Amino acid sequence: MYADTETIDRILTSTGDTWAVVGLSDNESRAAYGVARVLKSFGKRVVPVHPKAETVHGERGYASLADIPFAVDVVDVFVNSDLAGAVADEAVAIGAKAVWFQLGVIDEEAYARTRAAGLDMVMDRCPAIEIGARG
């Protein structure tokens, strides 16, 4: 229900290639780091969003989505479910086209708000797994 194949395919192939990854830091042991590396290997521009605003995978980081001075196509969310709804609302506010909540990140109300705002959304899935499965 929150991750239909058509929406996943659209986000991965035609929504755009600039992905803001919220929760991405230079900590190589964190899942966000590895997922960002996979996204980059498939041609995505990965923009780190983290309070420390660290440079990761050669891309300058920003403390918040609102600080990014260019358009973002997809917001990939690596924060706890209780914080994810606010990130989805920020994604809507900055004009992103899609929101992707990672495995284990679930907020049904945020999903409903984001979809009602006209954005594509996937919840409780990993884009690295999905993009790898599609080749």
Side-chain angles (χ1 to χ4, degrees), residues 78-92:
F78 276 95
V79 300
N80 293 330
S81 295
D82 60 340
L83 303 174
V87 176
D89 295 340
E90 290 176 45
V92 171

Side-chain angles (χ1 to χ4, degrees), residues 24-104:
L24 175 58
S25 71
D26 67 357
N27 183 343
E28 295 181 24
S29 68
R30 303 290 298 188
Y33 189 90
V35 169
R37 185 175 54 236
V38 170
L39 290 169
K40 278 189 67 81
S41 75
F42 279 90
K44 306 299 183 189
R45 178 182 187 187
V46 175
V47 181
V49 179
H50 190 279
K52 294 180 182 177
E54 300 169 317
T55 296
V56 183
H57 298 303
E59 188 76 43
R60 177 186 167 193
Y62 296 90
S64 72
L65 290 172
D67 292 338
I68 301 172
F70 47 83
V72 170
D73 300 308
V74 181
V75 175
D76 187 12
V77 182
F78 276 95
V79 300
N80 293 330
S81 295
D82 60 340
L83 303 174
V87 176
D89 295 340
E90 290 176 45
V92 171
I94 67 163
K97 299 173 188 168
V99 175
W100 192 300
F101 280 10
Q102 283 293 326
L103 289 171

